[in-house]
Structures are given as structure tokens and as C-alpha cells.
Amino acid sequence: MSVGVDLERLVGPGVDRVDGPRKVSGAARYAIDVDLPNVAHAALVRSTIARGRVTSIDTTAAAASPGVLAVITHQNAPKLHTAKRDMIAPPPVPPLQSDEVDHHGQYLAVVVAETPQQADAAAALFDVRYEPQPAVLTREDPEAERKSNPYHLDMGRGDVEAGIEGADALREAVYSTSACAHSPIGLFATVAWWDGDRLTVHDATQYAFRAREVLAGTFKLKEHEVRVVSPFVGGAFGAGLRVSPHTILAAVAARVVGRPVKVVLTRPQMFTGIGHRPDTEQRIRIAAAADGELLAIDHHGSTTSSVGPSLMYPITMGTPSAYACPNVSARDELVRLHVPPVAHMRAPGEAEGNFALESILDELSYDLGIDPVDLRLRNYAEVNPQTNGAWSTKALRECYAVGAERFGWSRRSPEPGSMRDGNWQIGYGMAGISYGHNQPKASARATIRDDGTAHVSSGTVEIGVGTWTVMTQIAGEILGLPLDLVEFELGDTDLPEVGYVGGSGHTIALGSAIHEACRALVQAFLDLAGDDPASPLAGCGLDDVRTADGRIVSVDDPGAGARYVDILERAERHELTADGASSPPKAEMGTQIKSLIASKHGEIGRKLVARSKGVVPAGAFGARFVEVGVDRDLGLLRVRRVVSAIDAGRVINEKTARSQIIGGTIQGIGMAMFEEIVTDAGTGRIANATFGDYLVPVNADVPDMDVVFVGGPDDMNPIGAKGVGEVGFVGIPAAICNAVFHATGRRLRSLPITIDQLL
Ligand code: MOS
């Protein structure tokens, strides 16, 4: 292909963020920064019980408080509707529609006032009376509602019991992970206003078009009557995929007072109001022959959820495709509690499932006396072992080799407790990663104008990952324009529609749409040039030309060509525009369906799948190598080094991709060593809902990090990329726990690791 991205170039240059200057100068407008004339401010009142009924709300004092414009409770709120279901971004329970409470922190009232301070002061004056009911707050509670196979994604193959029967080694263990809070620095905020029946919302969202759909459904509007504006989000990590109730309440309040209304969540409200990573408990059995060949994996995972609409949060789904093992069973369970809603949080499910699988493989490696890397290589999945489909690309072997080399894995002495550095016991641990492929739909529009600049747009959101930069790069590369002549516009549902910015699928999705739009635009220029028989481009197709320096030139004769601006001028046009769209490859649907057929219909399904042999789009792969130090006297644990070798296909911008891996690694350290939402057993109140109490990694916890990208372009999509947003998070918890075992001989199976586990 001559007009397109250069797939041969594996690692793109480390281009600076095009939105960087805007961010550091304060010119980037986040929802919290939006200021409108005549805006009123809302404060939210939350439940102080986990379950029951509100018997009375005395609003007299709040309503009489200075500056208060309105007080809205379930007694006077407008009727709202439940929007369409969706397993990625389920609608929230419409707020203020009844007296029922199903979690601590549920919104019970909105106060609207002239200033945020007046709203906050009035919100403190409510007198709420309850009739509490016993709340179900732990997975152990026999009253908890449990659901097996909640997402219809349970999978398996072969016969696990038979595999175990013939094995030389068997390991069984229970792993648990804590509930975690997304904790973005940017507080979620919404500014909403109505113009008749047209609703405009500035919001912190990763999925503006779903927000539009949910708002339209909630208020019974047509989708074109709702506009969601969201150029930047100050970190979201999945919390911005769902619409949270405060967004709806801002719109309710704006309608009631007939003015724009702004709501900014407080930090404690960020713990109850935007979702969290649920706690999990996993029971896993693994059996192998003496030479390390895996014979059975039996993985059961249990996740907690709120009682409202739940989302898809499978934690064992990655297990069947991770290793070549003939007998596998992967099953999930959902346990409903009276806790705040759950949201996806970076590598949702995959991170937890990987922790259990990669930990128990490490346990098995000691039982068998086989090096942990070797054990993984002995069970390397050459094809997707669940579907028998070929991976589109897989460089996991290189990840192990390059990562081990850079880390100095060969210096590891196998015996636990055998390496020291002064008072520190040193441990080396590793984990492998096979990440899934996700891809939403996307569309984009590209224009070249008579001043020689390009304008490319899509209604996506810059959630901090580098989208703005990478999309500008892709457009510039295809159009043959330097970055400073390419203006990318995003952040508005009036622009071309895209799906979620998450699931590590957005670069592929939108990149492919921009690829198509830009190629269509070059084609439009060729058509226009071809109207002039004297043009050197007359009769040329996309395969006959390439683009560079604002020109389209013939591949065969680089001297023959024309500038975009000259083509426009000759045709007396000011600009040309073209659209492009992308959808997930059919094979992606195929993967899921084949897995289901294989697991539901036993041998017949397996044969069917084996015969189909399609290529399936692979997600990213990776290997993580971690060195820890443990001070056995004090129980201190320090991560000293991390090496990450990642196969993310073609890396379009090494700088922002590396940032994704580094940021994910830090978040992984947080999950492994610090983060835990502590819920008060009696009341369901989150006891540590501030940054003083909820621990996240700080600079002193972050070691030297080495990131290396391996592998080649993935030709399942025209830009050759694979997702990079989540693979950098996965594997760290297992690698740290495996390193701790190597350092101390102590196996930790419960996250976060606390000092008492090490004393
Ligand atoms: Mo992420 S949980 O796909 O935002």
C-alpha cells in the first residue's frame, strides 16, 4: 500500500504530546473548569445507611439557607427512566426516584445554590430519618445473592478431573484481591444546561456517545437532543465508561432551576459515586506432569457487585487462552452486596485472573523444580488453545527472552531466601501476560483546506493516554503532512461517533477510522486532479501514489505530482472532506462464539472450531520481571526494579506508549501493595474514602522501570497496532508476590500485601 502508515517501521518516533502545552498552561478545559454565566452550583446529600428506607427528609433548614435556589429529593424530583441496558456501561439506577436505599453513599438529595460554598453549607443542614434493614456487605454472608456464569462467558475444554488424575504435581490455592478505587486526580464534574428540550452536558466521560444515549433514555429525549462535551478527562481508568448518577442529577437540577448547573464531586464522593474495582476471591487448581507439561487448570472466580444493574466483569475469561493445556475449566460467579456500584477499572478481570494464574504457576514451578520462565515456555500456546485459531501476531516468546536478558534473570539463584543485599532479602519474580483484544466501532472525518492545513475530527475523548497525539500522527503520516499542519479536534458528540475509549482498543479503532478517512480524502484529491487530463496524477489510484510534504506524488516518478493546495485552487475549491469508519474484525466475534461453541457442545464444538481455523486478532502480550527487597526484621517491602517486555504490535508513539506501561506498572504496584477500600462491617460506610487514608503509590514507592517493546505490526488492522492501555497494569501483582516468595519463602495470596503478612 502506498498511501497509508508505514507498517515496516516498528517503533514510531517519540513525539511530544500535541496537547501538552494546553495542559501545562491551563488552557485545556476539563469539565471541572467549565464556567458559564449564570451557572448555579449543586451539592449532593448521601445516605448514611447501606440499606433501608428513608422515612423523612426535613429540608426546611437547607431551603432557608443563604443562596439556595432549590432542594430536590425523591419527594419532588422529576420522573426519570432507566436507559437501555449495556454490559460495558450499564445505566445507573435513576436517582431520587424512591425512598429506597441500597448502598451507603447513595444520593438522597441535591441542593442548588448560587455558589458552591452555599450549596455545601445547605447540604449539611438536612435531617434524614431512616428505617434501616440488614445490609449484605460481605461475600461470606449467606443472605448474599449469588449468580453462577453471570456473563455467559464460562469456558472450558477437555476433562479437568481426568487431567488431575494423571498428574505428577497438583497445586490448589485461594487468592483474594481487595476492592480498589480509581482515584483519578481530576475530580469528576458535570455542567448541564437546557435550551428548551435540548440538553447540553460537559462531563468527565470516556464514552461520550453512551453518555448521550443514557441521558436521552433517562429524560426520554431523542439522541440528537442531547450533546455531550468532553475533550479531556483528568484520569478515569474505566470509571468514566459508565454514566454515574451525579451526571443525571446535574441535568435534573438544571431543569428545575432553569439555569446551567455545575456539580463537582468531593473526594469522598469519588469513592462511592463513580464505581470501584470489586473485590475478588479465586480458587484455582493446576496439575502438571513431572516435566512441567500442564495437564489441568481449574479456575473459579468470584466477584462482588452492587444490587443495581451490573456490568460484565469476568475474571477467569483469559485463562483458557493463556497456555496450551488440554483440560481447562474457567468459571465466574457474581455476588451481590449492598455496596456502591462497580465500574471497570484498568484491565478489569484480566488483572485479577492473571494474579491467580501467574501466582499458582510460580508455586508449581517450585514443586517441580523448574525455572518459572521455562515452565511457561514448556506450555507456550502456539495457537489460541481454546479456539485453535491462529494468533494474528504473538511475540510472547520474545517478551520472555528480551525481558529476562535485560533483567538479568540468569543471575537468580533458585532457592528462596538465597539472595541478599545487606539487610535486605532479595527476590526475583516474573509473570506472563496474554491480554485479550477489544475493539469498539469508530468513525472520523478528514478535511484538507486551501491554506494547506488538515482538520481531522472525531467525537472521542483524550483521557490522558495520548489519543490526541497519536491520532494527529496517524493522520499526518497518511496525508503526508507535518504534525503542525494537522489540527485534530475531539471531545464533542456533534463530531463523528466513536465507541468507548477503553479496553485497550481505542487506538486500533479510531486509528483505523482515521486511516480510512484520510485515504478516502487522498482518493478525493486524485479524483479532483484527474478532472484535468494534463495533471501528472490523472488516472492514478491510491496504489500508484504516495504523499509527502503536502503533495501527492507518483510512486514511479517522484517528480510527477501535485500539491493539495494547487489541486484545490485549480478546481476553485476551498477544501475537500472525506469520512471513514472502522468496525471490529469479524474474527473477533468469531473468537467469542467459537469459545462458547467449544465449551457448550463439548467434542463436537471442539471439532467444529478446529476445522474453522480462522486467524483471530490477538491482544497484547507481555512479560514482567520484578526485583523486590524484604527487610525481614521490619517487614518492609520495596520494589527495586521492574522490567517490562511488551508486544503491542506497531508502537505508534513510543513516548506515550511507554508512559502507558509505566503508569500501569505504578497502578499495579498500588493494587499489589497499597490499595484497599475498607468498608465498615456494620454500616457499609467506606472508612478510608480520602487520600489521607486510601493509600496509593507515591514517588518513593516507584522504582527504576525499564520498558521494551518487542514484536511486529499486527496486520489485522491497517495501522498495525495492538492495545497498550491495560497490558502495562497486568502481571505486576503476581510478579511482586512471586518475587516476595523468592526472597522470603513466604507465599502471599491476598492483596494488598500488608506488613503483617511479612513479619
Ligand atoms: Mo479501561 S477499564 O478500559 O477504561
Side-chain angles (χ1 to χ4, degrees):
M1 164 202 314
S2 301
V3 176
V5 296
D6 181 358
L7 290 184
E8 294 308 310
R9 204 174 64 214
L10 172 61
V11 176
V15 172
D16 285 349
R17 286 174 189 261
V18 296
D19 50 333
R22 252 169 296 190
K23 283 186 169 171
V24 295
S25 67
R29 268 209 329 176
Y30 294 76
I32 196 172
D33 301 320
V34 172
D35 214 356
L36 296 168
N38 203 32
V39 69
H41 298 268
L44 305 171
V45 178
R46 295 184 298 163
S47 163
T48 57
I49 64 165
R51 186 188 183 196
R53 255 176 15 88
V54 173
T55 51
S56 74
I57 301 186
D58 186 349
T59 62
T60 323
S65 188
V68 170
L69 301 166
V71 174
I72 309 162
T73 69
H74 71 274
Q75 288 156 330
N76 63 349
K79 175 153 174 51
L80 303 173
H81 306 270
T82 302
K84 209 172 94 189
R85 278 187 65 74
D86 182 307
M87 289 299 274
I88 302 280
V93 176
L96 308 186
Q97 298 299 296
S98 83
D99 58 1
E100 279 174 46
V101 174
D102 66 22
H103 68 270
H104 199 285
Q106 179 181 320
Y107 300 124
L108 301 183
V110 186
V111 195
V112 193
E114 293 290 347
T115 71
Q117 295 77 11
Q118 288 170 334
D120 284 344
L125 300 176
F126 278 73
D127 185 6
V128 183
R129 300 296 162 93
Y130 305 92
E131 183 186 290
Q133 289 169 325
V136 179
L137 294 168
T138 64
R139 68 170 63 252
E140 292 78 25
D141 191 323
E143 296 294 312
E145 182 197 330
R146 280 158 215 284
K147 197 165 183 206
S148 295
N149 195 9
Y151 326 109
H152 307 290
L153 288 172
D154 285 4
M155 274 178 234
R157 57 181 180 263
D159 180 341
V160 164
E161 298 308 328
I164 289 173
E165 190 73 33
D168 297 311
L170 172 67
R171 267 271 159 187
E172 176 167 5
V174 175
Y175 296 88
S176 63
T177 63
S178 293
C180 296
H182 298 75
S183 307
I185 291 175
L187 295 170
F188 276 27
T190 307
V191 182
W193 74 92
W194 294 82
D195 179 3
D197 261 347
R198 231 190 109 87
L199 171 64
T200 303
V201 166
H202 284 258
D203 198 24
T205 175
Q206 293 169 254
Y207 196 173
F209 288 85
R210 173 63 180 159
R212 182 176 74 171
E213 183 179 55
V214 167
L215 287 165
T218 305
F219 292 97
K220 281 263 185 275
L221 301 170
K222 303 255 183 333
E223 273 185 34
H224 69 83
E225 294 173 316
V226 181
R227 178 180 171 209
V228 177
V229 184
S230 184
F232 292 104
V233 174
F237 313 116
L241 293 169
R242 293 185 80 163
V243 169
S244 290
H246 70 271
T247 299
I248 291 168
L249 288 174
V252 166
R255 180 158 254 186
V256 168
V257 300
R259 288 167 57 174
V261 168
K262 180 175 191 172
V263 58
V264 179
L265 295 190
T266 63
R267 184 55 64 180
Q269 287 169 352
M270 292 286 281
F271 282 77
T272 55
I274 62 167
H276 62 276
R277 180 190 285 284
D279 63 286
T280 70
E281 189 176 277
Q282 302 176 66
R283 179 175 294 276
I284 186 163
R285 291 186 298 164
I286 194 163
D291 66 357
E293 183 195 353
L294 291 180
L295 297 174
I297 305 173
D298 181 35
H299 191 175
H300 181 264
S302 174
T303 309
T304 58
S305 176
S306 66
V307 295
S310 60
L311 41 70
M312 203 154 69
Y313 207 103
I315 51 178
T316 68
M317 190 174 76
T319 297
S321 47
Y323 294 99
C325 171
N327 306 300
V328 179
S329 174
R331 304 174 316 284
D332 270 63
E333 173 195 69
L334 190 73
V335 183
R336 291 188 184 276
L337 308 178
H338 295 102
V339 296
V342 164
H344 289 127
M345 184 166 154
R346 206 168 194 169
E350 284 98 338
E352 293 91 338
N354 176 282
F355 166 57
L357 180 61
E358 293 297 311
S359 289
I360 202 157
L361 271 171
D362 197 71
E363 299 197 32
L364 187 68
S365 76
Y366 287 94
D367 295 343
L368 296 170
I370 297 176
D371 178 89
V373 177
D374 289 343
L375 180 61
R376 285 161 177 82
L377 287 171
R378 280 182 206 195
N379 295 285
Y380 195 82
E382 304 288 352
V383 296
N384 184 323
Q386 183 64 23
T387 63
N388 291 321
W391 307 104
S392 52
T393 68
K394 179 172 183 175
L396 180 55
R397 218 179 240 115
E398 280 165 86
C399 293
Y400 292 134
V402 173
E405 171 65 28
R406 285 169 85 109
F407 183 82
W409 184 253
S410 61
R411 294 198 301 272
R412 172 181 184 268
S413 83
E415 189 65 26
S418 61
M419 294 172 72
R420 295 188 76 89
D421 175 12
N423 215 29
W424 295 93
Q425 285 182 286
I426 302 302
Y428 287 5
M430 60 82 56
I433 312 160
S434 300
Y435 202 78
H437 173 271
N438 302 292
Q439 186 177 334
K441 286 185 174 180
S443 60
R445 173 164 297 168
T447 300
I448 289 181
R449 304 178 283 214
D450 59 7
D451 62 357
T453 63
H455 179 265
V456 182
S457 65
S458 163
T460 186
V461 185
E462 172 58 80
I463 63 170
V465 296
T467 297
W468 208 312
T469 312
V470 164
M471 297 307 152
T472 306
Q473 282 180 275
I474 292 172
E477 184 164 336
I478 299 167
L479 297 173
L481 290 172
L483 295 190
D484 58 350
L485 295 184
V486 180
E487 182 196 346
F488 186 63
E489 186 185 358
L490 49 65
D492 194 326
T493 53
D494 283 353
L495 296 171
E497 183 162 352
V498 292
Y500 50 86
V501 185
S504 304
H506 187 249
T507 298
I508 301 166
L510 185 54
S512 299
I514 288 178
H515 177 270
E516 189 180 296
C518 290
R519 275 174 51 91
L521 182 57
V522 175
Q523 181 64 57
F525 270 92
L526 287 175
D527 293 345
L528 199 58
D531 290 345
D532 171 11
S535 166
L537 297 174
C540 283
L542 283 176
D543 290 340
D544 310 318
V545 297
R546 56 185 188 81
T547 60
D549 307 321
R551 292 164 59 85
I552 307 175
V553 296
S554 159
V555 173
D556 296 333
D557 177 8
R563 300 197 308 157
Y564 293 121
V565 289
D566 293 334
I567 297 171
L568 287 173
E569 194 186 334
R570 198 175 299 116
E572 296 180 356
R573 299 281 291 264
H574 290 300
E575 59 182 40
L576 268 189
T577 293
D579 293 325
S582 73
S583 298
K586 285 217 179 65
E588 165 157 324
M589 284 261 291
T591 318
Q592 211 54 261
I593 291 166
K594 282 176 198 168
S595 303
L596 285 172
I597 294 173
S599 57
K600 281 217 174 105
H601 302 288
E603 206 42 44
I604 300 170
R606 290 271 295 159
K607 279 190 185 138
L608 223 121
V609 168
R611 228 179 298 134
S612 69
K613 288 233 190 318
V615 176
V616 294
F621 295 92
R624 321 296 291 259
F625 294 83
V626 169
E627 176 183 323
V628 301
V630 180
D631 183 318
R632 282 305 289 273
D633 298 330
L634 299 174
L636 294 177
L637 168 62
R638 293 283 182 269
V639 177
R640 292 157 59 108
R641 285 190 299 136
V642 180
V643 174
S644 305
I646 307 290
D647 164 19
R650 178 178 186 261
V651 175
I652 292 162
N653 183 341
E654 203 192 346
K655 212 166 181 174
T656 50
R658 184 179 300 277
S659 281
Q660 284 300 295
I661 304 303
I662 288 173
T665 303
I666 296 169
Q667 221 168 11
I669 291 172
M671 180 182 178
M673 293 171 56
F674 302 104
E675 298 191 43
E676 177 177 18
I677 293 175
V678 179
T679 299
D680 184 58
T683 65
R685 171 180 166 272
I686 295 178
N688 59 343
T690 71
F691 277 173
D693 300 299
Y694 181 88
L695 303 182
V696 294
V698 297
N699 279 345
D701 302 307
V702 176
D704 175 39
M705 283 187 279
D706 180 23
V707 178
V708 57
F709 293 105
V710 303
D714 186 331
D715 60 15
M716 289 296 278
N717 67 78
I719 58 169
K722 299 202 268 190
V724 75
E726 290 169 308
V727 65
F729 177 78
V730 188
I732 289 295
I736 290 176
C737 289
N738 296 345
V740 168
F741 181 81
H742 182 236
T744 64
R746 197 172 289 206
R747 180 60 64 179
L748 305 183
R749 301 188 183 96
S750 170
L751 303 182
I753 300 163
T754 47
I755 285 183
D756 55 292
Q757 290 174 275
L758 291 166
L759 283 175

